[in-house]
Structures are given as C-alpha cells and as structure tokens.
C-alpha cells in the first residue's frame, strides 16, 4: 500500500524535488528485485509473493518516471551521489536490501545519463555547495502536495518512519517559486554540467569494477 501510494503521487505529474541522491523510481524493477533477494529478509512464500507484487509496482514507477510527458526537476548533492556510486547504498536505502553491485550502479547511472541527454522532460541538477541544503527530501507533486522526509531513513515502517505532507496552496506556490527562481538560478551547476558529472561517476565505478575483476582473477589463478 505504501509503495502504491508513492506511485500514485508520481503518476503523470510534474515534480520539483530536492534529494541527496537517486531514488527508487529511477532504478529498474529487476535490479530492485535482485537487491531484495540478496538482502537479509527471510525468503519464505509470503516474502516471494509480496516481492512479485512489488516488482510490478516499481517497474511501472520506473516506466512512468521516464515516459510521462510532465517536467520533473530534481536537485541532488554531488557528495551523496558519489557515495552511492562507491558504496552501492543510497541515503535512503531500504533496510531489507543489499547494496547495489558495481554492474547495477553502472546501469542505474547510465540510465540517468541517457535520460538527461535525451529526455526533454527530465531536468537533473547538482548543488554547487552540498552544505547549502541539509540532507532532507522535499518533493512537490503537482496538484497534490509537498512531501517532506529525512533522507537517512531506511523505510522501516515499524521503527518510527515518518513523513509530512503539506497541502497549503500558498506554501506550495512559494516552494515552487523558490525552487525555480532561487535554487536553479543561483545554487546549482548549469544543467549542461550534469552529464559531465554523471559520466565521471560512471567511469569511476567502471574502474572499481575492473579492479575487482582483476583481484578476483588473481585470487583464482593464485
């Protein structure tokens, strides 16, 4: 239900979002599924049945993120995105999932780079100074409201996870105006710099992958 509610918020709506690093709506469903299967949750029949339903929800979320003809503006932090690239864990990594593998990270970042290059509705930016904004996720979903949550959550709903939804129209208008006229004008790198940074991240992960493979080969061959 929680995942379905999130999908409904995003579906065919413009979004103005501040977030440290990449979200699950930008990660292919099969990668999310494999990360869940590799996690610490018990793999009983109930888990597998729920996972099958979740895979379908997140597959549709991913498709909607990149296929909808609604503008989506997102501001990330370079430091947080680089930590994701190096560790495979996002700032809001779900507690039951293993970190994403190097190969998966290359796919995830490659998808984002491709969409940034080719999708006229996707607008990704990075802060000039990560300290400008604290680690929090704020997302205004057009005609619905603004969702606020701490970015270091692991989404364990039984351990005090909480969110705030703001629906006051004047507050929503002020946030969007601040986002477009202040943050995008003065506090982020130009959108053209986004692809350059993503390409650098991908190359860094590829170097790690090559080194890991080299070490594994050396171990096997003695």
């Amino acid at each position: 239900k929680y995942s379905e509610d999130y999908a409904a918020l995003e579906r065919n709506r413009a979004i103005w979002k501040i977030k440290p690093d990449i979200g699950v709506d930008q990660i292919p469903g099969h990668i999310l599924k494999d990360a869940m299967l590799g996690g610490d949750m018990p793999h009983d029949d109930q888990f597998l049945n729920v996972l099958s339903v979740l895979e379908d929800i997140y597959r549709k979320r991913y498709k909607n993120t990149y296929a909808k003809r609604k503008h989506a503006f997102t501001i990330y932090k370079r430091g947080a995105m680089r930590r994701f690239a190096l560790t495979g864990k996002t700032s809001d990594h779900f507690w039951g999932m293993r970190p994403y593998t190097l190969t998966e990270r290359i796919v995830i970042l490659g998808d984002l780079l491709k969409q940034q290059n080719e999708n006229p509705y996707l607008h990704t930016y990075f802060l000039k100074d990560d300290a400008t904004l604290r680690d929090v996720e704020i997302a205004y979903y057009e005609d619905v409201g603004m969702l606020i949550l701490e970015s270091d959550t692991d989404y364990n709903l039984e351990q005090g996870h909480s969110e705030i939804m703001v629906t006051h129209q004047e507050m929503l208008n002020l946030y969007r105006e601040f986002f477009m006229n202040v943050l995008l004008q003065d506090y982020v790198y130009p959108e053209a710099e986004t692809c350059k940074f993503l390409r650098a991240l991908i190359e860094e992960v590829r170097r790690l992958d090559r080194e890991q493979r080299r070490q594994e080969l050396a171990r096997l061959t003695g």
Side-chain angles (χ1 to χ4, degrees):
K1 181 66 168 63
Y2 181 87
S3 297
E4 286 177 339
D5 288 347
Y6 249 102
L9 278 175
E10 299 163 351
R11 191 174 300 121
N12 298 325
R13 286 193 174 93
I15 299 174
W16 295 262
K17 182 184 292 186
I18 298 169
K19 194 176 188 303
D21 51 16
I22 201 161
V24 290
D25 62 304
Q26 294 175 299
I27 298 175
H30 70 276
I31 290 179
L32 294 172
K33 178 181 179 181
D34 288 346
M36 286 291 293
L37 288 171
D40 296 329
M41 300 180 74
H43 291 15
D44 54 21
D45 289 341
Q46 182 181 12
F47 168 82
L48 295 175
N49 289 336
V50 171
L51 183 59
S52 178
V53 176
L54 285 173
E55 182 186 14
D56 184 60
I57 292 171
Y58 282 92
R59 178 179 54 81
K60 291 176 180 176
R61 280 184 71 180
Y62 175 82
K63 181 178 180 181
N64 177 75
T65 294
Y66 289 141
K68 64 183 177 182
R69 294 181 176 273
K70 292 284 187 176
H71 290 281
F73 300 88
T74 308
I75 297 174
Y76 293 122
K77 294 188 174 186
R78 291 181 300 168
M81 191 68 89
R82 187 168 185 268
R83 281 195 299 273
F84 160 70
L86 297 180
T87 67
K89 295 188 71 174
T90 61
S91 57
D92 57 355
H93 205 80
F94 180 64
W95 66 272
M97 295 169 61
R98 62 155 170 75
Y100 302 112
T101 66
L102 291 165
T103 300
E104 289 168 346
R105 288 173 237 168
I106 292 169
V107 171
I108 293 166
L109 292 169
D111 277 356
L112 183 56
L113 174 61
K114 181 177 186 294
Q115 292 294 328
Q116 180 66 18
N117 267 321
E118 301 176 5
N119 189 337
Y121 295 95
L122 189 78
H123 310 278
T124 303
Y125 302 86
F126 288 95
L127 286 171
K128 294 176 181 177
D129 180 358
D130 285 353
T132 299
L133 300 170
R134 71 185 185 91
D135 285 344
V136 64
E137 179 176 339
I138 304 175
Y140 170 33
Y141 300 92
E142 184 180 35
D143 300 326
V144 177
M146 179 168 62
L147 193 66
I148 305 172
L149 67 155
E150 293 297 326
S151 66
D152 60 354
T153 180
D154 61 2
Y155 291 102
N156 192 329
L157 303 184
E158 297 180 355
Q159 299 295 323
H161 173 81
S162 62
E163 301 176 357
I164 299 170
M165 175 68 84
V166 177
T167 57
H168 191 284
Q169 191 58 53
E170 185 175 352
M171 178 70 76
L172 301 179
N173 293 340
L174 287 171
Y175 170 76
R176 185 167 63 179
E177 180 180 344
F178 173 70
F179 192 109
M180 299 299 292
N181 297 333
V182 178
L183 292 179
L184 294 193
Q185 295 301 317
D186 299 322
Y187 291 94
V188 301
Y189 287 105
E191 195 171 355
E193 291 292 314
T194 297
C195 292
K196 180 179 179 181
F197 180 68
L198 289 174
R199 282 193 291 267
L201 284 184
I202 292 168
E203 182 53 38
E204 193 165 7
V205 179
R206 284 175 174 158
R207 284 197 299 270
L208 289 174
D209 188 46
R210 289 193 295 268
E211 178 61 20
Q212 186 181 83
R213 292 174 188 272
R214 187 192 66 77
Q215 291 178 358
E216 180 65 16
L217 180 61
R219 185 186 67 80
L220 293 174
T221 59

Coordinates of all heavy atoms in Angstrom, one line a residue, residues 5-11 13-17 19 25 61 68 137-149 155 163-166 169 172 175-176:
D5 N 0.9 4.0 -3.0 CA 0.6 5.4 -2.7 C 1.7 6.3 -3.3 O 1.4 7.4 -3.9 CB 0.5 5.7 -1.2 CG -0.8 5.1 -0.6 OD1 -1.7 4.7 -1.4 OD2 -0.8 5.0 0.7
Y6 N 2.9 5.9 -3.2 CA 4.0 6.7 -3.8 C 3.9 6.8 -5.3 O 4.1 7.8 -5.9 CB 5.4 6.1 -3.4 CG 6.2 7.0 -2.4 CD1 6.2 6.7 -1.1 CD2 6.9 8.1 -2.9 CE1 7.0 7.5 -0.2 CE2 7.6 8.9 -2.1 CZ 7.6 8.6 -0.7 OH 8.4 9.4 0.2
A7 N 3.6 5.6 -5.9 CA 3.4 5.5 -7.3 C 2.3 6.5 -7.8 O 2.4 7.1 -8.8 CB 3.1 4.1 -7.7
A8 N 1.2 6.5 -7.0 CA 0.1 7.4 -7.4 C 0.5 8.9 -7.3 O 0.0 9.7 -8.1 CB -1.1 7.1 -6.5
L9 N 1.3 9.2 -6.3 CA 1.7 10.6 -6.2 C 2.5 11.0 -7.5 O 2.4 12.1 -8.0 CB 2.6 10.8 -5.0 CG 2.0 11.0 -3.7 CD1 3.1 11.0 -2.6 CD2 1.2 12.3 -3.6
E10 N 3.4 10.1 -8.0 CA 4.2 10.5 -9.1 C 3.6 10.4 -10.4 O 3.9 11.1 -11.4 CB 5.4 9.5 -9.1 CG 6.3 9.5 -7.9 CD 7.2 8.3 -7.7 OE1 7.0 7.3 -8.5 OE2 8.0 8.3 -6.9
R11 N 2.5 9.6 -10.5 CA 2.0 9.2 -11.8 C 1.5 10.4 -12.6 O 0.6 11.1 -12.2 CB 0.9 8.2 -11.7 CG 0.4 7.5 -13.0 CD -0.6 6.4 -12.7 NE 0.0 5.4 -11.9 CZ -0.5 5.0 -10.7 NH1 -1.6 5.6 -10.2 NH2 0.1 4.0 -10.0
R13 N 2.5 13.4 -13.2 CA 2.5 14.7 -12.5 C 3.9 15.3 -12.7 O 4.9 14.6 -12.6 CB 2.2 14.6 -11.0 CG 0.7 14.3 -10.8 CD 0.4 14.5 -9.3 NE -1.0 14.4 -9.1 CZ -1.6 13.3 -8.7 NH1 -0.9 12.2 -8.5 NH2 -2.9 13.3 -8.5
A14 N 3.9 16.6 -12.8 CA 5.2 17.4 -12.7 C 5.7 17.3 -11.2 O 4.9 17.2 -10.3 CB 5.0 18.8 -13.1
I15 N 7.0 17.3 -11.1 CA 7.6 17.2 -9.7 C 8.8 18.2 -9.6 O 9.6 18.3 -10.5 CB 8.1 15.7 -9.5 CG1 7.0 14.7 -9.6 CG2 8.8 15.6 -8.1 CD1 7.4 13.3 -9.5
W16 N 8.9 18.8 -8.4 CA 10.0 19.6 -8.1 C 10.6 19.0 -6.8 O 10.0 19.1 -5.7 CB 9.5 21.0 -7.8 CG 9.0 21.7 -9.0 CD1 9.7 22.6 -9.9 CD2 7.7 21.6 -9.5 NE1 8.8 23.0 -10.9 CE2 7.6 22.4 -10.7 CE3 6.5 20.9 -9.2 CZ2 6.4 22.6 -11.4 CZ3 5.3 21.1 -9.9 CH2 5.3 21.9 -11.0
K17 N 11.8 18.4 -6.9 CA 12.3 17.6 -5.8 C 13.7 18.0 -5.4 O 14.6 18.3 -6.3 CB 12.3 16.1 -6.2 CG 12.8 15.1 -5.1 CD 12.8 13.7 -5.6 CE 11.5 13.2 -5.9 NZ 11.5 11.7 -6.3
K19 N 16.8 16.2 -3.2 CA 17.1 14.9 -2.6 C 18.6 14.7 -2.7 O 19.2 15.1 -3.7 CB 16.4 13.8 -3.4 CG 16.3 12.4 -2.8 CD 15.5 11.5 -3.7 CE 15.3 10.2 -3.0 NZ 16.5 9.5 -2.6
D25 N 12.5 5.3 -7.8 CA 11.7 5.4 -9.1 C 12.6 5.5 -10.3 O 12.1 5.4 -11.4 CB 10.8 6.6 -9.0 CG 11.5 7.9 -8.8 OD1 12.3 8.0 -7.9 OD2 11.3 8.8 -9.7
R61 N 6.5 2.3 -11.8 CA 7.0 3.6 -11.3 C 8.2 4.0 -12.2 O 8.3 5.2 -12.6 CB 7.5 3.5 -9.9 CG 6.4 3.5 -8.9 CD 6.9 3.5 -7.5 NE 7.6 4.8 -7.1 CZ 8.2 5.0 -5.9 NH1 8.1 4.1 -5.0 NH2 8.8 6.2 -5.7
K68 N 6.5 9.7 -18.8 CA 5.5 10.7 -18.7 C 5.9 12.0 -19.4 O 7.1 12.3 -19.4 CB 5.1 10.9 -17.3 CG 6.2 11.5 -16.4 CD 5.8 11.6 -15.0 CE 6.9 12.2 -14.1 NZ 6.5 12.2 -12.7
E137 N 14.6 15.2 2.0 CA 13.9 15.0 0.8 C 12.7 15.9 0.8 O 11.8 15.7 1.7 CB 13.6 13.6 0.5 CG 12.8 13.4 -0.8 CD 12.5 12.0 -1.2 OE1 13.2 11.1 -0.7 OE2 11.6 11.8 -2.0
I138 N 12.5 16.8 -0.1 CA 11.3 17.6 -0.3 C 10.9 17.4 -1.7 O 11.6 17.7 -2.7 CB 11.6 19.1 0.0 CG1 12.2 19.2 1.4 CG2 10.3 19.9 -0.1 CD1 12.6 20.7 1.7
A139 N 9.7 17.0 -1.9 CA 9.1 16.8 -3.3 C 7.7 17.4 -3.4 O 6.8 16.9 -2.6 CB 9.1 15.3 -3.6
Y140 N 7.5 18.3 -4.3 CA 6.2 18.9 -4.5 C 5.6 18.1 -5.8 O 6.2 18.2 -6.8 CB 6.3 20.4 -4.8 CG 5.0 21.0 -5.3 CD1 3.8 20.5 -4.9 CD2 5.1 22.1 -6.2 CE1 2.6 21.1 -5.4 CE2 3.9 22.7 -6.6 CZ 2.7 22.2 -6.3 OH 1.5 22.7 -6.8
Y141 N 4.5 17.5 -5.5 CA 3.8 16.8 -6.6 C 2.7 17.6 -7.1 O 1.8 18.0 -6.3 CB 3.3 15.4 -6.1 CG 4.4 14.5 -5.6 CD1 4.8 14.5 -4.3 CD2 5.1 13.7 -6.5 CE1 5.8 13.7 -3.8 CE2 6.1 12.9 -6.0 CZ 6.5 12.9 -4.7 OH 7.5 12.1 -4.2
E142 N 2.7 18.0 -8.3 CA 1.8 18.9 -8.9 C 0.3 18.6 -8.5 O -0.1 17.5 -8.7 CB 1.9 19.0 -10.4 CG 1.1 20.0 -11.2 CD 1.3 19.9 -12.6 OE1 1.5 18.8 -13.2 OE2 1.2 21.0 -13.3
D143 N -0.4 19.6 -8.0 CA -1.8 19.5 -7.7 C -2.1 18.5 -6.5 O -3.3 18.2 -6.3 CB -2.6 19.1 -8.9 CG -2.5 20.0 -10.1 OD1 -2.4 21.2 -9.8 OD2 -2.6 19.6 -11.2
V144 N -1.1 18.1 -5.8 CA -1.4 17.2 -4.7 C -0.8 17.8 -3.4 O -1.5 18.1 -2.5 CB -0.7 15.8 -4.9 CG1 -1.0 14.9 -3.7 CG2 -1.4 15.2 -6.1
G145 N 0.5 18.0 -3.3 CA 1.1 18.5 -2.1 C 2.6 18.3 -2.1 O 3.2 17.8 -3.1
M146 N 3.2 18.7 -1.0 CA 4.7 18.6 -0.8 C 5.0 17.6 0.3 O 4.6 17.8 1.4 CB 5.2 20.0 -0.5 CG 6.7 20.1 -0.3 SD 7.3 21.8 -0.2 CE 6.4 22.4 1.2
L147 N 5.8 16.6 -0.1 CA 6.1 15.5 0.9 C 7.5 15.8 1.4 O 8.4 16.1 0.6 CB 6.1 14.2 0.2 CG 6.1 13.0 1.1 CD1 4.9 12.9 1.9 CD2 6.3 11.7 0.2
I148 N 7.7 15.8 2.7 CA 8.9 16.0 3.4 C 9.3 14.9 4.3 O 8.5 14.4 5.1 CB 8.9 17.3 4.2 CG1 8.4 18.5 3.4 CG2 10.2 17.6 4.9 CD1 8.1 19.8 4.2
L149 N 10.5 14.4 4.1 CA 11.0 13.3 5.0 C 12.5 13.4 5.1 O 13.2 13.9 4.2 CB 10.6 11.9 4.5 CG 11.2 11.4 3.2 CD1 11.2 9.9 3.1 CD2 10.4 11.9 2.0
Y155 N 13.3 3.3 5.6 CA 11.9 3.0 5.3 C 11.5 1.7 6.1 O 10.6 1.0 5.7 CB 11.8 2.7 3.8 CG 11.9 3.9 3.0 CD1 13.0 4.2 2.3 CD2 10.8 4.8 2.9 CE1 13.1 5.4 1.5 CE2 10.9 6.0 2.2 CZ 12.1 6.3 1.5 OH 12.2 7.4 0.7
E163 N 6.7 10.9 7.8 CA 6.7 11.8 6.7 C 5.7 12.9 6.9 O 4.7 12.7 7.7 CB 6.3 11.1 5.4 CG 7.3 9.9 5.0 CD 6.8 9.2 3.8 OE1 5.8 9.6 3.2 OE2 7.5 8.3 3.3
I164 N 5.8 14.0 6.3 CA 4.9 15.2 6.4 C 4.4 15.5 5.0 O 5.2 15.7 4.1 CB 5.6 16.4 7.0 CG1 6.1 16.0 8.4 CG2 4.7 17.6 7.1 CD1 7.0 17.1 9.0
M165 N 3.1 15.7 4.8 CA 2.6 16.2 3.6 C 2.0 17.5 3.8 O 1.1 17.7 4.6 CB 1.5 15.2 3.1 CG 0.8 15.7 1.8 SD 1.8 15.7 0.3 CE 1.7 14.0 -0.2
V166 N 2.5 18.5 3.0 CA 2.0 19.9 3.1 C 1.0 20.1 1.9 O 1.4 19.9 0.8 CB 3.1 20.9 3.1 CG1 2.6 22.3 3.1 CG2 4.1 20.7 4.3
Q169 N -1.9 25.7 -0.3 CA -1.5 26.1 -1.6 C -0.5 27.3 -1.7 O 0.4 27.3 -2.5 CB -2.8 26.5 -2.4 CG -2.6 26.7 -3.9 CD -2.0 25.5 -4.6 OE1 -2.6 24.4 -4.5 NE2 -0.9 25.6 -5.3
L172 N 2.9 25.8 -1.2 CA 3.3 25.1 -2.4 C 3.8 26.1 -3.5 O 4.8 25.8 -4.1 CB 2.2 24.2 -2.9 CG 1.6 23.2 -2.0 CD1 0.5 22.4 -2.6 CD2 2.7 22.2 -1.5
Y175 N 7.2 27.4 -2.4 CA 8.3 26.4 -2.6 C 8.7 26.3 -4.1 O 9.9 26.3 -4.4 CB 7.8 25.0 -2.1 CG 8.8 23.9 -2.5 CD1 10.0 23.8 -1.8 CD2 8.5 23.1 -3.6 CE1 10.9 22.7 -2.2 CE2 9.3 22.0 -3.9 CZ 10.5 21.9 -3.2 OH 11.4 20.9 -3.6
R176 N 7.7 26.3 -5.0 CA 8.0 26.1 -6.4 C 8.7 27.4 -6.9 O 9.7 27.3 -7.7 CB 6.7 25.9 -7.2 CG 7.0 25.7 -8.7 CD 5.8 25.1 -9.4 NE 4.7 26.1 -9.4 CZ 3.5 25.8 -10.0 NH1 3.3 24.7 -10.6 NH2 2.5 26.7 -9.9

